[in-house]
Amino acid sequence: YFPRELFGWYAVLIKSSDLPAINQELSTIFNELWRLDVNRMTPGIDYTISVQGRASFVSQGSHVVQDHASQPLFSNVNESKLRNITTFSRFMTLLDNYERSTGMTERVTADELTEMSLFLDAILETQVMKRAHQYLVRKGQSSSDLRLFKNQLNLIWFHLYHRQRNTGLDSCGFEHVFVGETKSGTEIIGFHNWVQFYLQEKSRHLDYKGYKTRVQDLPDQDDHVLNLQFSWHGVVKPAGSAFIGTSPEFEMAVFTIVFLMSTERSTTVVVNIDQCQMELVVVRHGRSLGTAYPKLLSSNSRHVSQHAR
């Protein structure tokens, strides 16, 4: 005999044990950064996306993929607004500074060093990065000296290293996460940024194939994180992910915090940001960033209603 009134609680306990443990502290600071992100683009106003069909399974390295999206992901983007926001415009100047293929030595010019410095200066002036800096200082992870914090960001994001063995310095965190790379001409690695996605789609180097998600959780045009499938220069990314509409300072602040708050080689935290529940994955490469990306777990506060049931 099992009392009926206990059965409901038992079911809730079983259900809640399946749910990921939310990092409440990081959720709190990230929502604060979210509210401070005045440069974030507004869906339906500053840009419009069309998620279309669910992408099918594709094995890594395959070039054959069914297209479940006949139209581009981005129907339109207010590009003039993007280019008039300092952090976005300086971010975009960095996107053509890198060799797409790993194994190709990166040569950084004096002009490119200046572009990196100006970009870091611009994000350090935003309320988002000021609050992130304040948090990291309080946690003992960063110096209160702005110049030293800028150097720390430079080391994490722009320091060149070997991603492929027996080659020159061929990669850095910024290139991998925001620009994207190809490996052996058969695999897309990194490439987790919506602005680069839009620009590459616009220039017809990239073809969106459809969204990736669990059956019960359909994305919509207001979602600020998407899991997606695409091809780039003919190479397929079976499952990728990106924040959508967010500013570069927001993404760098969030991933920098996760990077500095852990000493593990690979860190995964589960957070609620705005209406989305997501995993944030950060992998280090020594004292620099190897990769960082969001992975949407549920959107439109569906995880909240699941808790309430």
Side-chain angles (χ1 to χ4, degrees):
Y1 172 72
F2 193 39
R4 183 177 293 175
E5 63 270 20
L6 288 179
F7 185 81
W9 284 108
Y10 183 65
V12 168
L13 283 171
I14 292 172
K15 184 71 183 165
S16 62
S17 69
D18 295 339
L19 296 169
I22 309 300
N23 189 313
Q24 298 293 356
E25 183 182 335
L26 290 183
S27 294
T28 300
I29 183 66
F30 293 160
N31 276 290
E32 208 176 319
L33 299 181
W34 180 264
R35 289 189 293 273
L36 290 170
D37 191 15
V38 294
N39 289 336
R40 184 173 62 251
M41 298 282 131
T42 306
I45 297 172
D46 300 319
Y47 69 90
T48 309
I49 61 171
S50 173
V51 293
Q52 299 166 79
R54 184 194 307 278
S56 49
F57 174 79
V58 178
S59 57
Q60 186 65 264
S62 172
H63 292 283
V64 182
V65 57
Q66 215 175 335
D67 196 340
H68 293 272
S70 58
Q71 301 299 313
L73 174 64
F74 287 94
S75 309
N76 67 72
V77 172
N78 185 342
E79 216 173 304
S80 63
K81 181 174 179 177
L82 268 188
R83 295 189 185 281
N84 279 319
I85 296 171
T86 308
T87 56
F88 275 115
S89 64
R90 291 186 183 176
F91 172 81
M92 288 189 280
T93 64
L94 299 174
L95 297 176
D96 63 356
N97 288 357
Y98 299 96
E99 295 285 349
R100 191 166 71 249
S101 179
T102 58
M104 300 278 287
T105 302
E106 296 289 351
R107 289 181 173 80
V108 184
T109 67
D111 283 349
E112 287 169 353
L113 285 172
T114 302
E115 287 171 0
M116 288 176 211
S117 182
L118 288 172
F119 170 67
L120 289 174
D121 287 342
I123 66 170
L124 285 166
E125 284 176 16
T126 65
Q127 291 306 309
V128 169
M129 198 52 94
K130 282 179 178 175
R131 180 67 187 96
H133 183 205
Q134 191 181 43
Y135 176 81
L136 288 165
V137 170
R138 187 165 62 81
K139 289 290 182 180
Q141 300 301 321
S142 296
S143 167
S144 58
D145 184 314
L146 202 58
R147 185 178 52 83
L148 292 178
F149 182 53
K150 180 181 175 180
N151 290 344
Q152 187 180 32
L153 291 175
N154 192 63
L155 174 63
I156 293 169
W157 290 95
F158 291 105
H159 176 72
L160 290 173
Y161 51 73
H162 305 267
R163 191 172 291 276
Q164 199 163 307
R165 286 181 185 172
N166 308 319
T167 63
L169 301 173
D170 65 342
S171 187
C172 69
F174 182 91
E175 176 189 10
H176 184 86
V177 174
F178 293 118
V179 184
E181 303 176 282
T182 57
K183 187 177 173 183
S184 311
T186 60
E187 192 181 338
I188 298 169
I189 56 174
F191 202 134
H192 299 287
N193 180 256
W194 75 274
V195 176
Q196 170 73 337
F197 195 103
Y198 160 68
L199 293 171
Q200 292 297 303
E201 192 173 56
K202 182 185 165 193
S203 59
R204 308 216 166 162
H205 297 314
L206 185 151
D207 185 14
Y208 171 62
K209 303 295 185 185
Y211 64 85
K212 299 286 287 183
T213 186
R214 295 176 300 185
V215 175
Q216 74 274 25
D217 201 16
L218 302 177
D220 63 37
Q221 67 274 13
D222 294 335
D223 285 356
H224 278 290
V225 183
L226 279 183
N227 301 334
L228 32 79
Q229 186 180 93
F230 61 96
S231 65
W232 185 39
H233 293 278
V235 182
V236 175
K237 178 109 177 172
S241 56
F243 282 108
I244 307 291
T246 46
S247 70
E249 59 266 28
F250 175 82
E251 294 181 41
M252 285 185 81
V254 163
F255 291 132
T256 299
I257 287 172
V258 177
F259 178 90
L260 289 172
M261 292 303 291
S262 170
T263 55
E264 300 293 320
R265 185 183 170 273
S266 180
T267 303
T268 300
V269 296
V270 179
V271 293
N272 293 332
I273 303 179
D274 190 48
Q275 295 183 354
C276 291
Q277 186 171 101
M278 69 193 78
E279 285 181 348
L280 297 174
V281 181
V282 169
V283 179
R284 60 178 60 242
H285 195 289
R287 293 168 67 204
S288 301
L289 187 78
T291 190
Y293 56 90
K295 184 181 172 188
L296 183 67
L297 297 177
S298 72
S299 59
N300 298 320
S301 301
R302 272 185 276 268
H303 51 282
V304 176
S305 60
Q306 281 169 10
H307 277 288
R309 275 210 295 271

